[in-house]
């Protein structure tokens, strides 16, 4: 999301949006209040490489209240909300190094600066901070007592490092917590991806053929929401079980080679490379809209689209690039790429709603506290979020929504523990 404002007006808008997000983050607010009293991260340098959004600002405020000395850098060059980046240092005294649209050099220079201050705790969204630490700053890596990872792609990278024996620090897979992926990946991605597509294009989703590549939690959420808006949803998959799940959820499942000629809107959420590739572009209809909501900008082969296109692509609207191709019969067709093939929900909209980030970031904050409490006892492995943290976050979220649930009676507890009961 771009902002036209500058200076004091930009900062004021950032503060307003951070406060607006805070309203919908009751679990994080409760944690911030406790952290303010107990200071569990007192005096610790903490570097976070996350999307610079109003929701992330509230996480950083929570970590600051816990006594940490925090610095925030971007986890994607196009996801930074410049108003938030302006408000954080001026209104909350939190250092930020990030600018929307920063180039690769600036992006990595910020990541390097985040490591050069020798953080004791880190937070990552996509594992760029930790992988740069291991490649370029082995000393800094050794000083990190633990790191948190926010996204599926990052956890996959970290598990690969652990498998190779390359991981030097303990990492908590926040992404793998149910309080994260069941809600943020599914409902957050579902809603914010459609928000990005609609803001960028103004397309009518009803009646369109909407192709979702990948049926993990993000793909499930996106397919469900696109169907809810009246699209004919096609799912593509490489995993038999996930494909079967999509079929039984009532979606049409076909290979991308077939879907390419059918879709009006395509969105990748796979975590893999070149899921939409040269032959798929060749098969697409005139006016096809193509975007990605996976972490890295590798899922749509943008380079190949550029090679197929006649001349240079044209920015026809904010976040919409038009590529003109020959349709094979002497006529022209247009393909529209959203947000340069980067995360469309953050490039063209504001990311997931605060209410769902509340759970993800409450889990992040409590995982950081847990790492500090475990100091000296964790090994360089990928850890799951402790069950008590997940239970606590879910309980607080339900309470904030005014939802009460039943409690097992002593008789029911005994029954569940008794293996001798039966027919
Ligand atoms: N990832 C997806 N949506 C987000 C948001 N609103 N803030 C931070 N990270 C996000």
């Amino acid at each position: 999301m771009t902002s036209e404002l500058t200076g004091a007006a930009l900062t004021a808008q950032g503060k307003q949006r951070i406060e607006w997000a805070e309203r919908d983050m009751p679990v994080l607010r409760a944690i911030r209040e406790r952290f303010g009293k107990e200071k569990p991260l007192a005096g610790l340098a903490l570097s976070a490489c996350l999307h610079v959004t109003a929701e992330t600002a509230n996480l950083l405020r929570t970590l600051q209240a816990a006594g940490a000395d925090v610095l925030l850098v971007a986890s994607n060059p196009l996801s930074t909300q410049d108003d938030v980046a302006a408000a954080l240092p001026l209104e909350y005294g939190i250092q930020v190094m990030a600018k929307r649209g920063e180039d690769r050099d600036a992006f990595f220079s910020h990541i390097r600066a985040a490591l050069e201050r020798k953080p004791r705790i880190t937070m990552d969204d996509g594992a760029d901070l930790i992988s740069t630490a291991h490649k370029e700053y082995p000393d800094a890596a050794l000083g990190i007592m633990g790191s948190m990872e926010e996204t599926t792609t990052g956890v996959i990278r970290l598990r690969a490092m652990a498998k190779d024996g390359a991981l030097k620090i303990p990492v908590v897979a926040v992404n793998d917590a149910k309080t994260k992926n069941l809600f943020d990946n599914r409902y957050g991605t579902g809603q914010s991806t459609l928000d990005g597509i609609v803001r960028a294009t103004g397309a009518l989703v009803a009646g369109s053929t909407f192709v979702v590549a990948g049926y993990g939690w993000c793909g499930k959420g996106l397919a469900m929401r696109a169907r809810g808006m009246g699209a004919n949803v096609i799912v593509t998959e490489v995993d038999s079980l996930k494909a079967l799940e999509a079929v039984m959820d009532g979606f049409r499942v076909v290979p991308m080679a077939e879907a390419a000629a059918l879709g009006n809107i395509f969105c990748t959420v796979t975590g893999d490379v070149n899921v939409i590739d040269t032959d798929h572009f060749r098969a697409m209809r005139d006016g096809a809209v193509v975007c990605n909501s996976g972490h890295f900008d590798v899922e749509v082969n943008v380079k190949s689209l550029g090679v197929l296109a006649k001349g240079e692509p044209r920015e026809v609207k904010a976040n919409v690039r038009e590529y003109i191709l020959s349709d094979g019969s002497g006529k022209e067709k247009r393909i529209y790429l959203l947000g340069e093939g980067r995360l469309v929900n953050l490039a063209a909209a504001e990311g997931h709603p605060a209410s769902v980030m509340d759970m993800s970031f409450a889990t992040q904050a409590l995982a950081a506290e847990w790492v500090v409490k475990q100091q000296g006892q964790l090994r360089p492995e990928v850890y799951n979020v402790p069950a008590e943290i997940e239970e606590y976050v879910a309980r607080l979220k339900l309470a904030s929504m005014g939802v009460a649930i039943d409690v097992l009676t002593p008789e029911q507890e005994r029954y569940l523990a008794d293996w001798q009961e039966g027919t």
Side-chain angles (χ1 to χ4, degrees):
M1 193 195 62
T2 26
S3 180
E4 308 285 301
L5 304 173
T6 53
L10 185 71
T11 305
Q13 176 180 281
K15 181 165 191 273
Q16 211 172 48
R17 290 185 53 251
I18 292 167
E19 285 172 0
W20 181 254
E22 184 187 11
R23 282 174 55 254
D24 269 340
M25 304 183 89
V27 183
L28 199 58
R29 277 203 314 270
I31 293 169
R32 189 166 86 215
E33 209 175 299
R34 176 170 70 77
F35 277 10
K37 290 182 200 129
E38 297 176 7
K39 305 279 177 206
L41 309 182
L44 293 173
L46 186 154
S47 291
C49 176
L50 299 169
H51 299 299
V52 180
T53 66
E55 293 72 31
T56 303
N58 284 299
L59 169 62
L60 282 245
R61 289 172 68 197
T62 307
L63 301 169
Q64 182 190 49
D69 172 15
V70 291
L71 167 70
L72 174 63
V73 299
S75 60
N76 186 296
L78 262 197
S79 63
T80 296
Q81 298 173 356
D82 286 333
D83 54 353
V84 170
L88 272 173
L90 294 174
E91 297 288 344
Y92 305 98
I94 292 174
Q95 306 173 72
V96 181
M97 297 178 79
K99 179 146 186 55
R100 183 185 158 96
E102 64 194 11
D103 63 20
R104 200 182 152 76
D105 285 350
F107 179 78
F108 276 103
S109 75
H110 295 154
I111 287 187
R112 291 191 183 101
L115 293 167
E116 279 162 16
R117 66 196 286 264
K118 296 199 169 29
R120 303 299 322 283
I121 307 269
T122 54
M123 286 183 176
D124 232 344
D125 188 329
D128 277 337
L129 195 65
I130 288 305
S131 93
T132 308
H134 281 70
K135 284 189 228 147
E136 299 180 28
Y137 296 92
D139 289 348
L142 290 174
I144 298 172
M145 70 172 78
S147 189
M148 271 44 72
E149 174 50 54
E150 169 76 5
T151 201
T152 314
T153 299
V155 171
I156 290 170
R157 284 173 98 185
L158 291 161
R159 288 202 195 282
M161 284 173 79
K163 192 161 166 243
D164 279 356
L167 189 66
K168 294 200 177 99
I169 58 169
V171 177
V172 184
V174 171
N175 175 75
D176 293 359
K178 290 198 182 75
T179 44
K180 201 273 179 180
N181 63 57
L182 285 185
F183 306 95
D184 169 319
N185 298 23
R186 180 166 37 169
Y187 302 113
T189 306
Q191 181 168 322
S192 63
T193 301
L194 276 156
D195 186 9
I197 294 169
V198 171
R199 284 197 209 196
T201 62
L204 178 68
V205 178
S208 69
T209 296
F210 194 113
V211 180
V212 177
Y215 204 65
W217 284 120
C218 296
K220 283 186 189 130
L222 180 55
M224 176 171 41
R225 289 292 172 259
R227 174 156 68 188
M229 290 177 80
N232 299 298
V233 178
I234 293 179
V235 170
T236 70
E237 246 306 336
V238 292
D239 178 300
S240 308
L241 277 169
K242 288 182 181 153
L244 192 56
E245 209 180 349
V247 171
M248 297 218 182
D249 285 344
F251 296 109
R252 183 173 173 195
V253 176
V254 301
M256 184 57 87
E258 208 175 306
L262 303 172
N264 304 111
I265 303 173
F266 295 80
C267 187
T268 52
V269 265
T270 67
D272 214 335
V273 291
N274 297 340
V275 174
I276 298 186
D277 212 340
T278 314
D279 285 343
H280 305 133
F281 296 126
R282 286 204 177 104
M284 280 179 192
R285 301 181 187 193
D286 182 26
V289 168
V290 177
C291 62
N292 164 54
S293 210
H295 184 78
F296 288 117
D297 60 344
V298 297
E299 307 204 14
V300 176
N301 190 344
V302 177
K303 212 181 244 173
S304 151
L305 183 56
V307 172
L308 288 177
K310 299 179 176 176
E312 285 299 304
R314 205 165 57 101
E315 197 84 7
V316 288
K317 198 172 173 295
N319 298 308
V320 185
R321 207 164 273 177
E322 179 186 68
Y323 291 77
I324 301 182
L325 281 67
S326 160
D327 77 348
S329 70
K331 285 202 235 119
E332 288 182 341
K333 71 174 180 189
R334 285 152 188 78
I335 292 180
Y336 296 105
L337 178 71
L338 308 187
E340 301 173 19
R342 298 191 186 278
L343 289 153
V344 70
N345 59 340
L346 282 143
E350 292 170 49
H352 303 352
S355 176
V356 88
M357 294 313 295
D358 187 27
M359 301 177 68
S360 309
F361 285 166
T363 310
Q364 281 276 7
L366 295 175
E369 180 187 36
W370 179 77
V371 162
V372 174
K373 278 193 184 146
Q374 304 299 311
Q375 195 179 355
Q377 293 182 45
L378 299 178
R379 292 179 302 278
E381 288 172 13
V382 179
Y383 286 86
N384 286 326
V385 171
E388 315 81 76
I389 292 184
E390 296 211 57
E391 215 282 319
Y392 175 79
V393 171
R395 191 154 29 89
L396 249 61
K397 191 70 180 174
L398 281 173
S400 77
M401 297 164 102
V403 177
I405 60 171
D406 286 326
V407 178
L408 290 174
T409 62
E411 181 195 24
Q412 287 171 330
E413 281 198 26
R414 271 196 308 278
Y415 179 82
L416 290 176
D418 184 357
W419 58 271
Q420 300 197 50
E421 288 270 354
T423 13

